[in-house]
Amino acid sequence: MTVIENYINNADTSHQEKLNQIYLLIKSVVPEAEEKISYAMPTFYLKKNLVHFADFKHHLGFYPTPSAIVEFEKELKPYKTSKGAIQFTYEKPLPEELIKKIVQFRKEEIELK
């Protein structure tokens, strides 16, 4: 079991399906990324921190850095965002294609630097 799978298994059981879903989505885009816990959050690492996600009482937090929030500003309108974070509620479906595009954007951003 990976450290991220362990994190998901220790989360509220009603949140585990969405946490596992985002985990597998990210992993499908960057299977080569190292998986670790950083800042107490599941983290995908590719030369540097690529993205994080975390379980909260009322939402799933997704942290793709401020550059990704700016890049996808229009598509993120339906979601609560801050400088470097996006909140997805557990009641609504995850925007799978948007998450994949954001992760791909971060991967390309890191590879270009």
Side-chain angles (χ1 to χ4, degrees):
M1 181 177 298
T2 69
V3 291
I4 294 179
E5 290 168 330
N6 190 49
Y7 175 96
I8 292 168
N9 287 340
N10 285 310
D12 185 304
T13 53
S14 67
H15 297 174
Q16 288 179 9
E17 183 180 345
K18 286 272 170 44
L19 291 166
N20 201 47
Q21 185 182 0
I22 198 166
Y23 168 60
L24 294 173
L25 280 170
I26 297 166
K27 193 175 173 117
S28 75
V29 178
V30 285
E32 71 277 22
E34 179 186 343
E35 298 178 26
K36 62 184 185 173
I37 300 294
S38 183
Y39 304 104
M41 296 184 284
T43 301
F44 283 80
Y45 183 89
L46 199 60
K47 299 179 189 166
K48 57 168 52 179
N49 288 339
L50 185 73
V51 293
H52 311 274
F53 68 91
D55 177 42
F56 293 97
K57 187 174 182 178
H58 298 292
H59 71 275
L60 188 164
F62 181 50
Y63 304 88
T65 73
S67 61
I69 304 293
V70 170
E71 180 71 20
F72 294 94
E73 183 179 6
K74 286 187 179 101
E75 289 147 283
L76 290 169
K77 286 275 187 237
Y79 307 98
K80 185 173 183 182
T81 60
S82 63
K83 184 178 176 184
I86 306 162
Q87 292 183 9
F88 299 121
T89 64
Y90 287 107
E91 295 76 36
K92 294 182 180 170
L94 288 176
E96 293 188 4
E97 290 309 311
L98 178 57
I99 291 168
K100 287 181 183 178
K101 287 193 320 191
I102 291 170
V103 174
Q104 184 63 39
F105 169 82
R106 285 289 297 135
K107 179 181 176 181
E108 291 168 7
E109 190 176 50
I110 287 172
E111 287 172 347
L112 290 172
K113 288 185 177 175

